[in-house]
Amino acid sequence: MKKIAIIGGGITGLSAAYATQRAIDEGQDIDYVLLEKDSRLGGKIYTKRTSDGFIAEGGPDSFVSTKPWIFELAKKLNCEGRIIPSNDGLKKTYILVGNKLRTLPDGVMMVVPTKIMPFITTNLFSWPGKLRMVMDYFIPKKKEAGDETLSSFVARRLGKECLHRLADPLVAGVYSSDPETMSLQATFPILLDMEQKYGSLLKGTITSMRSRAKARRESPSGPKRTLHMSFKGGMQDLIDELVETLDKDKILVGADVQKVDEVRDEDGSTTYRVHLADGKIVEADAVIFASLAHETASLVTDIDKDLVNILQEIPQISAATVSLAYRKSDVGHDFKGFGFLIPLGEGYKIKGCTWSSTKWSGRVPNDDYAIIRVFVGGARKQELTFLPDDEMKAVVKSEIKNIMGIDAEPVNTWIFRWPNSMPQYTLGHLDCVNKIDERVATHPGMFLAGASYRGVGIPDCINSGTRAAESALAYLTEAVDTAKV
Ligand SMILES: Cc1cc2nc3c(=O)[nH]c(=O)nc-3n(C[C@H](O)[C@H](O)[C@H](O)COP(=O)(O)OP(=O)(O)OC[C@H]3O[C@@H](n4cnc5c(N)ncnc54)[C@H](O)[C@@H]3O)c2cc1C
C-alpha cells in the first residue's frame, strides 16, 4: 500500500492528515503517518486553559473570517458551533501616538479611511497628515505594476504619517514584519490591485465595500460573522477536534525528523526514507513537508542543494506573547475596547496589547477578572523575545503601567516564546516561492505546505495542507494506476 509521510503536526500538517484520513475513510487504499517532533500537536496554536477558568492564547488568538477554509473544515468536523464572534459592541482599537491612546477612526479598512466624519474628527492624524492621505485620490497610479514594500507604497500613496501611525502598527503588525522590507504582493496584493484598477485606494476601497455590502444583502443570512473570529475554548479547540478524528496509530509525537533521502528506483519510481532522531527510518512514497521553510531546508540537504538555498532565503523572526490576568477591582481600568497598537518610534518595547476578555467571551472565570495579552519582539525587536522571565515581566508591567495606568500585580502571568518561527514575506517573496515550486516539481512525490509560502494565517495554512494532501493522493493514485497498466 502506498504511504504518505507528513512532517509537522501544526495546523498545516494536521489538515493534510485529515484530508488523507477522509480519503481513506471514503475507500482510498492509502496509508499515512504524521511525524511531529514536539510532545504535543498544534504547533503555534496553543491555548493554556487553567483549572480556575482562565484561557490564555500562546500563539494565534483568532482567524480572519474572509477566507472560507476554516469554516469548511469546522463544518466537516462538526464543530462550527464552537466558533465565536468578537464582541464588536465594544470594538474600539487605540493607537499610541505621543504617549496618548488615540482611537482608530471607525471605517478604516487596512490603511484606508472610508467614513468621512470619523476621519475628519479623529485626533490620530494631524491636518497636514489628513490632507496628504486625501491626495491619494489625485495621485496617478504607478506605471509598472509589480511588487513593492509596504513602506514605499503607503508613503507614496497616503503619506508618511499614515505609514507610521496606521500602516506600520496595523498592517505590518499582522505579520510582525518590518514595513521597509515587507512584500505587498505577497501580503496585501489587493492594495496593489486597487491602485492599478481604480487609480486610487480611496476609490477602490469604497467601491469594493459597496459591492461586498450588496453581496451580503443578496446572500442568505448565516451565523453572525465578525472580521476576526475564534473558538469558545480558544484556538486549541480546532486542534482538539482535528486530532480526535485522526487514527491515533498514524500520529507519532516526539518523532524528530533529522533528514529525508530520496531514492530513485531502477523502474523510474521515487520513494523517500525519513530518518528520525531515534534511528528509526520511515519509508514513504510521498512526503508532505508541513514544517517551516528553514526547517524543511535542513531536512532536504541530501536531496537538492538548490532547493535548500531558496528555502533559506525566507527569513524567520522571533516573537513572544505575555498574558496577564487581573482582578478588576485591583486595577481601576474599564477595558472598554479591543486594545492598542504602538507604532515604532514611540519609544516602547512592547508592540501592542489585546484586551482579550473584552474582545472574546469566556476568557476569564467571571466578570470580576480581565485578561490582556501583550506582544513582544517581532521583526525589529526580536531580541526582546529572549528576555529572562523576570525581565520580561518587569518590562511588560512597567510599560502597561505607563500606557494604561495599571500598577496592580496580575493574579496570573503566562509567557509564550516563539523563537525563529514567524516567516517573513519580504520583497520578491512570490518569486522565491515560484522558484521553490519549480525545484519541488523535479522531485516526484515531494510536497511543501504551510505558513512559509502563500499565507501565514490559519485559514491559508489549512488550505495549503489540504491541497498538499490532495496533490499527494492524486499523485499516488496515478502512480498506482500507471503501475497497474
Ligand atoms: C504569536 C503568534 C500569533 C499569531 N497570531 C495569529 C492569528 O491571530 N491569526 C492567524 O491566522 N495566524 C496567527 N499566527 C500565525 C499562525 O499561527 C501560523 O502561521 C500557523 O499556526 C502555522 O501553522 P503551521 O502548521 O504551518 O506551522 P507550525 O504551527 O509552526 O507547525 C509546524 C510543526 O512542524 C514541526 N516540525 C518542524 N520540524 C520538524 C521536524 N524536523 N520533525 C518533526 N516535526 C517538525 C514543529 O514542531 C511544528 O509543530 C500567529 C503566530 C504567532 C507565532
Side-chain angles (χ1 to χ4, degrees):
M1 195 190 300
K2 299 277 178 186
K3 183 169 181 171
I4 305 173
I6 302 166
I7 302 174
I11 186 66
T12 303
L14 288 170
S15 302
Y18 178 71
T20 312
Q21 179 76 56
R22 270 177 72 99
I24 294 169
D25 295 345
E26 284 161 13
Q28 212 156 323
D29 197 18
I30 292 279
D31 191 15
Y32 75 95
V33 61
L34 184 143
L35 305 160
E36 167 53 52
K37 69 177 173 189
D38 280 354
S39 55
R40 56 168 281 277
L41 295 162
K44 270 166 221 112
I45 300 183
Y46 176 56
T47 307
K48 177 90 190 160
R49 301 168 184 141
T50 69
S51 53
D52 50 353
F54 290 101
I55 291 183
E57 296 282 16
D61 70 346
S62 59
F63 60 92
V64 284
S65 64
T66 46
K67 299 186 176 177
W69 305 296
I70 195 163
F71 294 104
E72 289 169 7
L73 179 62
K75 191 170 180 192
K76 288 181 202 152
L77 292 167
N78 206 14
C79 67
E80 282 171 302
R82 296 200 65 74
I83 295 179
I84 55 168
S86 53
N87 294 320
D88 280 10
L90 293 164
K91 185 177 184 170
K92 216 179 208 190
T93 301
Y94 298 92
I95 312 272
L96 189 84
V97 174
N99 222 17
K100 198 170 166 216
L101 289 179
R102 297 164 197 249
T103 313
L104 180 71
D106 190 24
V108 169
M109 302 295 292
M110 288 178 289
V111 278
V112 188
T114 59
K115 291 191 181 169
I116 295 173
M117 278 321 281
F119 178 62
I120 290 175
T121 53
T122 181
N123 66 356
L124 178 58
F125 307 111
S126 65
W127 277 109
K130 288 179 193 177
L131 286 174
R132 178 61 188 83
M133 288 169 80
V134 174
M135 288 295 292
D136 164 75
Y137 212 82
F138 308 102
I139 294 172
K141 70 179 179 189
K142 203 173 155 198
K143 284 207 181 72
E144 64 295 353
D147 203 1
E148 192 172 355
T149 64
L150 175 71
S151 162
S152 139
F153 180 83
V154 176
R156 182 166 65 72
R157 292 232 55 100
L158 299 155
K160 287 208 162 140
E161 191 174 280
C162 177
L163 169 65
H164 294 308
R165 297 188 181 183
L166 199 59
D168 177 335
L170 205 63
V171 181
V174 172
Y175 287 78
S176 287
S177 285
D178 181 350
E180 300 289 334
T181 56
M182 180 173 156
S183 155
L184 212 51
Q185 204 169 47
T187 54
F188 293 95
I190 189 170
L191 293 174
L192 291 169
D193 292 347
M194 273 180 195
E195 178 183 39
Q196 289 304 318
K197 192 165 171 196
Y198 300 99
S200 147
L201 300 183
L202 289 168
K203 261 189 246 168
T205 309
I206 291 166
T207 311
S208 64
M209 275 178 66
R210 283 191 187 136
S211 51
R212 270 210 303 274
K214 185 167 175 271
R216 263 201 307 275
R217 279 196 303 276
E218 285 167 3
S219 69
S221 58
K224 183 185 170 195
R225 282 197 187 179
T226 49
L227 179 60
H228 294 103
M229 303 192 77
S230 191
F231 283 80
K232 272 184 191 154
M235 291 305 297
Q236 179 87 34
D237 275 2
L238 180 63
I239 301 298
D240 296 345
E241 294 284 347
L242 263 171
V243 172
E244 191 57 37
T245 62
L246 299 176
D247 181 340
K248 306 294 168 289
D249 294 339
K250 299 185 192 300
I251 310 291
L252 302 185
V253 288
D256 187 355
V257 177
Q258 299 288 290
K259 71 163 183 160
V260 179
D261 288 334
E262 185 184 61
V263 184
R264 302 262 174 153
D265 294 328
E266 279 173 8
D267 65 356
S269 64
T270 307
T271 52
Y272 293 89
R273 288 165 65 82
V274 181
H275 297 256
L276 304 185
D278 62 7
K280 289 196 185 107
I281 295 175
V282 175
E283 311 258 0
D285 303 280
V287 185
I288 297 174
F289 291 89
S291 37
L292 297 181
H294 69 293
E295 295 166 327
T296 300
S298 71
L299 303 180
V300 297
T301 46
D302 289 351
I303 299 183
D304 187 334
K305 294 273 185 300
D306 289 340
L307 178 58
V308 171
N309 292 337
I310 317 169
L311 288 169
Q312 284 173 341
E313 279 177 29
I314 300 175
Q316 313 289 323
I317 55 106
S318 304
T321 64
V322 182
S323 287
L324 306 146
Y326 291 102
R327 197 173 285 109
K328 279 186 181 167
S329 57
D330 292 346
V331 297
H333 195 286
D334 62 11
F335 299 101
K336 288 217 166 102
F338 283 4
F340 61 86
L341 296 160
I342 309 178
L344 191 78
E346 290 297 317
Y348 281 88
K349 290 193 165 114
I350 66 173
K351 279 165 54 73
C353 173
T354 305
W355 299 344
S356 310
S357 47
T358 308
K359 189 167 182 180
W360 309 110
S361 300
R363 284 348 185 208
V364 283
N366 57 53
D367 205 32
D368 294 340
Y369 294 91
I371 187 165
I372 65 173
R373 187 166 104 119
V374 175
F375 295 84
V376 183
R380 289 166 302 190
K381 294 176 184 169
Q382 292 193 65
E383 64 292 350
L384 297 173
T385 309
F386 306 101
L387 287 177
D389 283 6
D390 283 358
E391 273 180 58
M392 178 81 92
K393 282 184 200 167
V395 165
V396 168
K397 257 196 80 184
S398 124
E399 298 202 343
I400 287 297
K401 182 180 169 196
N402 269 349
I403 298 165
M404 295 176 68
I406 295 178
D407 199 12
E409 267 308 306
V411 292
N412 236 322
T413 306
W414 301 271
I415 300 174
F416 306 91
R417 292 185 180 79
W418 301 104
N420 218 15
S421 63
M422 298 177 100
Q424 299 294 287
Y425 292 5
T426 53
L427 198 65
H429 177 80
L430 290 184
D431 291 340
C432 181
V433 173
N434 288 334
K435 280 193 232 154
I436 291 171
D437 283 348
E438 279 169 27
R439 288 304 323 150
V440 169
T442 65
H443 302 283
M446 179 192 283
F447 303 90
L448 267 54
S452 296
Y453 310 109
R454 289 194 166 88
V456 297
I458 293 164
D460 291 301
C461 292
I462 292 171
N463 185 40
S464 171
T466 308
R467 295 287 94 81
E470 287 168 357
S471 302
L473 288 163
Y475 163 75
L476 291 180
T477 315
E478 276 165 29
V480 170
D481 287 347
T482 316
K484 273 184 196 156
V485 172

